Amino acid sequence: MTSAAVERDERTVALENSGYRWSYLVLSFGLLLSVAYRSFARGETSWDLFALVLVGGAVNAVYQATHHVLYRRWAVLSTLAILVGAALAAMLVVFRH
């Protein structure tokens, strides 16, 4: 009897998912920094880049919702993040003008 070599196990899958997470974070925050730089330093609007960040998060949320892995804490933290972001945006608008 020959034993076949294991190519993928739980650890491999966990590390792949961790790599995807880091890639997503770098891409998302890089786009947000690019949007902020264009807005503040160059006076340009970058809604296309900002939309990429929002759509990326929405795709993840919809995917998780369809697989029933979202929970109450996620909803509370998402709502809190939206409210804090809106408050910061309002403060930036008020202080900028």
Side-chain angles (χ1 to χ4, degrees):
M1 175 191 244
T2 61
S3 61
V6 176
E7 293 183 20
R8 290 177 49 104
D9 59 358
E10 295 86 10
R11 181 180 176 275
T12 305
V13 173
L15 286 173
E16 286 175 351
N17 289 338
S18 179
Y20 296 144
R21 178 181 179 270
W22 278 105
S23 297
Y24 175 75
L25 288 173
V26 168
L27 183 65
S28 295
F29 283 103
L31 283 172
L32 286 174
L33 286 174
S34 178
V35 168
Y37 173 76
R38 286 183 181 192
S39 176
F40 292 122
R42 298 169 69 180
E44 299 175 358
T45 58
S46 300
W47 290 108
D48 54 341
L49 298 178
F50 191 62
L52 282 174
V53 174
L54 293 177
V55 169
V59 166
N60 184 30
V62 168
Y63 181 79
Q64 290 182 8
T66 57
H67 289 86
H68 306 290
V69 294
L70 298 180
Y71 46 92
R72 182 180 171 96
R73 182 173 178 247
W74 178 88
V76 170
L77 289 177
S78 294
T79 303
L80 181 65
I82 291 169
L83 292 175
V84 168
L88 287 173
M91 287 184 353
L92 284 173
V93 168
V94 167
F95 289 128
R96 195 151 188 209
H97 292 290

